[in-house]
Amino acid sequence: MLWTTAGVVTLAFLVALEITARHYGVPGPITNQAREVVFAPKSGPLLYTSLGLMMVVLTWRQRFVALGAAVGIDVVFCLVRLMAGARMNFGNGALWVLLGYAVIALTRRTGRERLLLLKGVGLGLLLVAGRKTGDTWLLITAKTRPMVLDQYVALADHALGCPSWLMGRLVNATGPIGSDILNYVYIQLPVAAGLVALYQLRNVAVERRFPGHHLVRTFLVIGLLGPGIYMLFPVVGPIFVYGADGGQWALANLWPHTPPPIQAPHHMLFDGLTPRNCMPSLHIAWATTIFVHSRKGPRVLRYAGAFWLLATLAATLGFGYHYGTDIVAGVVFALTVEGALRALARGWDRSATRLVAYGATVFVALLLAYRYLSMTMAENPWGFGPLLILAMTSMIYGYIRTTKGWEPKATVPAQRSERQLELV
């Protein structure tokens, strides 16, 4: 019943987004996903990562068959596109196999096996649908929020030393190689999440059940809640408002060499195409959860999680997509959502309430400070800068301390007392 309800709600949400997108004259998430059954997909690695998530419920023999079928279908599609001169990409085979196993689950499986296979298919399709849904959400933010708050956020960013301007100069100094690496890390963040999730779900085929909590849950919830905050706090980013990418809508071409001047901020009109997707930084929120979930993996996974977090931080700031204030808010947002979902999986208690309430309070306080205290923050950076870092650090400390108490404590077997000799 729970999974049926979740499926119905998800479908209703996708239909609502499709109708909204059609209202603005563009295809929605359902249409975009349906096109990828035949046309070249936007992201082949994402589709194969989704297939990998579905395959956690299969046996090794079934996995090889599924992967072979996906690759074979992709080879056929690529040959046809090559002869037709169409745009080349791969991933259709992975989507076909995902849909094929959905049909198999409904027609060839019963009982718990059907439910397990449907969960696997749903998990894979949700990762893909999340990407399509995010694209539609970004369009909606641009169409419905013509005024942006970048001037307020840029002023508050002075308290942190305008890190986007500093990182932008560093990334430019690395040349095209550094930019290409960071751009790949930035774009393929869902793939990194899928790899960590594959490790977490590696025993599903043997245990015939999913764990109570895993990375994909947090990843999807962050993607669902984040755009709602975009609607409340629309910000487009420094490279658009203070850089060349803003075109005629930019205030000045200052990024990344000259920080914006400290002057009274105002709401400003911006174009109807650029997403208002800065506050908070969902890329940093996702990278933070990848880092958190990779901590219990093998050493190579822990190193990969740390690398992806640092590289995403460098990319979000170095490409001018985010201000430093967005990063602080993104970390607090991620740990609040992660703490809530972990608490729901283990059972809600007072410590969970304190953690989530504190995270939500800090997050709201940050947004209010950015909006109403930005000038004061810019004029007093040595006071407010450490306060922002302290607010983020306090949430990190609270999360670590609380979740550590949730870990099952290892029981030490009682040692048998040695028999004492008595003097007779």
Side-chain angles (χ1 to χ4, degrees):
M1 184 63 66
L2 177 63
W3 279 87
T4 302
T5 304
V8 171
V9 171
T10 302
L11 180 60
F13 178 68
L14 291 174
V15 171
L17 281 181
E18 182 74 26
I19 294 173
T20 304
R22 291 287 180 177
H23 174 72
Y24 291 109
V26 295
I30 298 177
T31 302
N32 286 331
Q33 191 59 66
R35 284 176 54 87
E36 293 189 351
V37 175
V38 177
F39 296 98
K42 184 176 181 179
S43 175
L46 178 63
L47 285 170
Y48 270 92
T49 302
S50 301
L51 177 62
L53 287 177
M54 185 278 294
M55 290 195 299
V56 298
V57 304
L58 305 180
T59 64
W60 278 107
R61 180 179 177 277
Q62 292 169 335
R63 291 171 185 172
F64 286 121
V65 171
L67 183 60
V71 173
I73 294 172
D74 265 326
V75 169
V76 174
F77 268 95
C78 287
L79 290 175
V80 172
R81 289 188 183 116
L82 186 62
M83 291 185 294
R87 184 173 72 90
M88 299 295 293
N89 205 346
F90 65 96
N92 301 88
L95 184 57
W96 277 50
V97 172
L98 272 170
L99 297 176
Y101 267 99
V103 175
I104 292 173
L106 294 174
T107 59
R108 304 292 297 275
R109 298 287 190 272
T110 58
R112 294 183 62 184
E113 289 301 312
R114 170 186 288 177
L115 181 59
L116 185 67
L117 186 52
L118 285 176
K119 285 181 180 180
V121 172
L123 193 65
L125 291 178
L126 275 176
L127 186 63
V128 180
R131 180 71 174 267
K132 302 301 180 185
T133 301
D135 293 341
T136 304
W137 257 120
L138 296 183
L139 172 69
I140 293 174
T141 62
K143 297 294 185 182
T144 61
R145 291 296 179 267
M147 308 298 288
V148 297
L149 303 176
D150 280 75
Q151 294 187 37
Y152 296 89
V153 178
L155 265 184
D157 207 44
H158 278 276
L160 297 172
C162 298
S164 179
W165 273 256
L166 174 62
M167 189 59 68
R169 294 193 294 271
L170 291 176
V171 171
N172 287 343
T174 63
I177 296 178
S179 297
D180 290 344
I181 293 174
L182 291 180
N183 186 59
Y184 183 83
V185 170
Y186 189 84
I187 293 175
Q188 300 299 342
L189 190 67
V191 177
L195 294 177
V196 175
L198 284 175
Y199 174 79
Q200 293 181 321
L201 304 176
R202 65 193 184 280
N203 295 324
V204 170
V206 176
E207 298 176 355
R208 311 310 293 166
R209 65 179 180 85
F210 280 84
H213 180 55
H214 50 83
L215 175 59
V216 180
R217 299 175 75 234
T218 309
F219 208 81
L220 293 175
V221 172
I222 286 176
L224 180 65
L225 298 179
I229 304 171
Y230 293 161
M231 303 288 283
L232 298 174
F233 209 105
V235 180
V236 295
I239 196 172
F240 299 106
V241 174
Y242 299 101
D245 287 20
Q248 62 179 345
W249 300 93
L251 287 177
N253 190 0
L254 302 176
W255 188 89
H257 301 292
T258 306
I262 298 177
Q263 57 188 19
H266 303 282
H267 288 66
M268 62 175 291
L269 183 67
F270 212 77
D271 67 27
L273 298 175
T274 307
R276 279 59 167 158
N277 62 338
C278 275
M279 184 62 70
S281 170
L282 292 197
H283 264 80
I284 286 297
W286 283 320
T288 300
T289 58
I290 290 174
F291 175 80
V292 170
H293 281 264
S294 66
R295 293 306 87 196
K296 291 187 177 180
R299 181 177 299 178
V300 63
L301 196 65
R302 297 197 301 270
Y303 287 163
F307 165 77
W308 223 273
L309 176 59
L310 294 175
T312 303
L313 176 62
T316 52
L317 294 175
F319 292 147
Y321 297 151
H322 288 281
Y323 303 91
T325 47
D326 309 338
I327 306 302
V328 174
V331 172
V332 174
F333 178 67
L335 295 180
T336 303
V337 173
E338 173 67 19
L341 292 177
R342 284 197 62 180
L344 287 174
R346 67 173 292 274
W348 200 273
D349 58 12
R350 184 176 299 177
S351 63
T353 302
R354 286 198 301 264
L355 176 64
V356 175
Y358 181 73
T361 302
V362 171
F363 182 73
V364 172
L366 288 173
L367 296 187
L368 292 176
Y370 299 158
R371 172 61 179 84
Y372 296 105
L373 298 177
S374 57
M375 179 64 79
T376 306
M377 295 172 69
E379 293 174 342
N380 302 276
W382 292 105
F384 281 93
L387 279 178
L388 290 178
I389 301 301
L390 179 63
M392 180 181 68
T393 306
S394 67
M395 183 58 197
I396 296 173
Y397 173 76
Y399 174 84
I400 294 174
R401 182 177 180 180
T402 303
T403 55
K404 187 174 291 186
W406 294 346
E407 299 294 335
K409 295 179 174 59
T411 57
V412 179
Q415 296 183 356
R416 297 174 58 184
S417 57
E418 294 184 1
R419 195 172 183 181
Q420 299 294 326
L421 297 177
E422 295 183 3
L423 292 176
V424 178

